[in-house]
Amino acid sequence: MKFKIALYPGDGIGPDVLAQAERVMYRVGELQDITFDCTTFDWGMDYWHKHGQLVPTDFLAQLKGMDAILLGAVGWPDILPDHETLAPLVEIRQSFDQYACVRPARLCRGLDSVLTGRSHKDIDFVVIRENSEGEYIDNGGRFKQGSDDEVAVQTAVHTRKGVERILRYAFEFAQQRRGRLTMVTKSNAMKYSYVMWDDILADIRGDYPDVKEVSKMHCDAAVMNFVRHPDEFDVVVASNLFGDLLTDLGGILGGGLGLAPSCNVNPTNEFPSMFEPVHGSAPDIAGQGIANPIACVLSLAMMLDHLQCSSASESIRQAVEAALLNGSKTPDLGGELTTEKMGDAVLAQL
Ligand code: NAI
Ligand code: MG
């Protein structure tokens, strides 16, 4: 097997964590006879200093022929505002129709939970966030700006096509897991958009008889229940905004930002999908060599799942879990290992 992979290290701790994921990728490739034909793109703040823009004008064309994109992190808020530095990522997600954002929340064995009395047995669910429309569409305006009469309007857009495809994706995901799906909305208070979500769920659920437990939950109850009964969730599907909120909570339940992987998937495979840690460029610890590379390594595992190399991805997850169980930890988890030593610990287990 051979794959063309785009490596996009980005800014801050991005290059450090991606370097470790890259080592793991090549090692697993040797072990499992997978060839990774990688191209590294030096885009981000360094590129901006040299060329006055964050990415070249044809960056989407350069990425388009790849099988997948593995990203470190981007952003350097002291120099450029976030809505500028993150714009290329948003453009990749939208242009490549990466409409499903998948974020597992799974606490590894050997780690303490932030929830008293909970262990790895209780926290293993996946949040699927609609990634292409909803509340984050650029749709609105400000009128009489700065005056006492100022009005701001921002309108979410939910399309039947967009909602149906994310719900079907979530149903298919639940088929591969424990067959339990929870749809999170706020249809008691937002009677147009989210009642349409309810209607579409009712229309399609009969197509998935093997997903035995299908339920609806309002977003306010969902945040409470994530904390109260995390063990009752398997696959959770939500709109762009609610998925955003739920995945930060999921991230901390899964052990923190240093561990949380994520991906933006184009399920039709018409375009490459993008795999990245949930965390950002962490300027507060950048350059110190202490960032936890596990979130990026687990994002690599998700990439291998997507490329249908499940024995490779499983071996990475097992190696990560074994390394953590061994007590190998970076400072964010209370340990003392550097980013590179943490990479060594995972490689040793592989
Ligand atoms: P952040 O995720 O970069 O950092 C939040 C906190 O978590 C910091 O204290 C940081 O040190 C810690 N942290 C994050 N990743 C860690 C790791 N791997 N190991 C150990 N500790 C880790 O979020 P923040 O500070 O709000 O944003 C920094 C920049 O990153 C901003 O420019 C933001 O826009 C950008 N960002 C980029 C994302 C991306 O590239 N996909 C996602 C989120 C934020
Ligand atoms: Mg977020």
Side-chain angles (χ1 to χ4, degrees), residues 13 33 39 44 54-55 65-66 71 77 142 154 156 164 172 184 226 234 285 295 311 316 319 333 346:
I13 64 169
D33 209 16
T39 309
L54 291 155
V55 290
M66 299 286 171
L71 174 91
R142 286 175 69 179
Q154 182 141 14
E164 181 172 336
E172 284 161 23
V184 174
F226 266 33
D234 179 18
I285 57 164
S311 102
I316 292 174
L333 299 177
V346 175

Side-chain angles (χ1 to χ4, degrees), residues 9 11 13 17 71-78 80-83 85-86 89 93 103 256-260 262 264 274 276-286 290-296 330-333 339:
D11 311 311
I13 64 169
V17 297
L71 174 91
V74 300
W76 202 259
D78 282 354
L80 270 187
D82 286 339
H83 68 269
T85 40
L86 270 69
L89 291 196
R93 290 175 189 155
R103 293 185 166 176
L257 278 182
L259 300 170
S262 160
N264 306 283
M274 180 163 64
E276 53 170 331
V278 171
H279 66 71
S281 58
D284 56 333
I285 57 164
I290 55 165
N292 190 344
I294 297 300
C296 197
T330 42
D332 56 307
L333 299 177
T339 308

Side-chain angles (χ1 to χ4, degrees), residues 29-41:
E30 280 165 21
L31 293 169
Q32 307 237 356
D33 209 16
I34 307 169
T35 306
F36 296 104
D37 172 9
C38 296
T39 309
T40 302
F41 295 98

Side-chain angles (χ1 to χ4, degrees), residues 42-121:
D42 61 343
W43 302 334
M45 291 308 301
D46 286 347
Y47 193 93
W48 179 82
H49 283 298
K50 284 186 216 138
H51 305 280
Q53 54 192 69
L54 291 155
V55 290
T57 316
D58 67 343
F59 78 112
L60 291 173
Q62 295 194 43
L63 294 173
K64 196 167 178 235
M66 299 286 171
D67 293 308
I69 304 161
L70 186 61
L71 174 91
V74 300
W76 202 259
D78 282 354
I79 299 187
L80 270 187
D82 286 339
H83 68 269
E84 287 183 37
T85 40
L86 270 69
L89 291 196
V90 176
E91 224 176 311
I92 292 171
R93 290 175 189 155
Q94 293 184 350
S95 305
F96 291 165
D97 204 18
Q98 295 169 343
Y99 65 79
C101 175
V102 182
R103 293 185 166 176
R106 178 170 169 268
L107 187 69
C108 286
R109 276 187 303 158
L111 292 182
D112 294 330
S113 171
V114 289
L115 302 179
T116 309
R118 295 291 188 179
S119 74
H120 68 278
K121 292 186 192 130

